[in-house]
Amino acid sequence: MNAGRTVFSQLIEFLPHQEFQKCVARYAGNRYLKNLSCWDQYLAMAFAQLTYRESLRDIEACLRSVGAKLYHMGFRGKVARSTLADANESRDWRIYADFAQVLIAIARPLYARDPIGIDLDQSLYALDSTTIDLCLSLFPWAKFRKHKAAVKMHTLLDLHGNIPTFIRITDGQVHDVNLLNEIMPEPGAFYVMDRGYIDFQRLFVFTLSAAFFVVRTKSNVLLQRRYSHAVDKSTGIRSDQTVYKCRWQVELFFENSTWCTPSYVMEFPGPVAWNRALVGWWHGPVRPCIARHLLCT
């Protein structure tokens, strides 16, 4: 019989607790709190993610079943369904957004040298979005169609380790191309995007930042070829051309691309406010999806 520490407590030990408290202090997250601290809220949601809980009631029931072990798991307060629901609705989401950036900064160097199937020393990112369907009666603020609600999760994925480096949640009517305004291109990095991100004025920012982009072209895009450069087609490169005052140096032909696709949204009882979508939980890891025959012009 294992009389040692729980697996959950061993995993939580890797989290930089002091950095989390700095994020809490930055936004006065624990001000006027009586029972459920921001740390307990974070542990409850992390527990839900790791154990595949499907609702707040499910979280409460599961934690109550191990009530004698909660202290050793890191909890210092009681986790009730109503209290957790109030915390998810009212707590400042920026606490957890800032802490996520801290964790991403720790994780990225650990996977920087992981093989990704191609010989590329520079950073490689995949940008895409997914639409998450919601119930209009529970999420009236997320109106998408006449009888449908939805939000979009825009994700910039570092393909070295499949680590998201940028996540933005918007309503379902925001077009993908608008997110290019919020991304600061990394010099020397490669960005793989779908045709929904074609906007030459916005993409020119990548050129000015010494970054490279690979996109699928649209059928109605009019391009004038200025120069053609010799390529070795045995490497998978179809062509390398300079088009219409903007040089597209397509040095790699990508056959695989991955992006975030969450399965569903956590079920919340009663009407749900906007803040819950930001601190709520989506079940499902980053799943690979094959995008074959990318046409690089």
Side-chain angles (χ1 to χ4, degrees), residues 24 54 106 140 151 161 192 246:
V24 174
E54 298 183 359
I106 295 175
V151 295
V192 182
C246 181

Side-chain angles (χ1 to χ4, degrees), residues 146-158:
K146 185 176 180 180
H147 302 290
K148 181 180 179 181
V151 295
K152 269 189 178 181
M153 185 170 74
H154 309 264
T155 305
L156 181 65
L157 198 67
D158 184 352

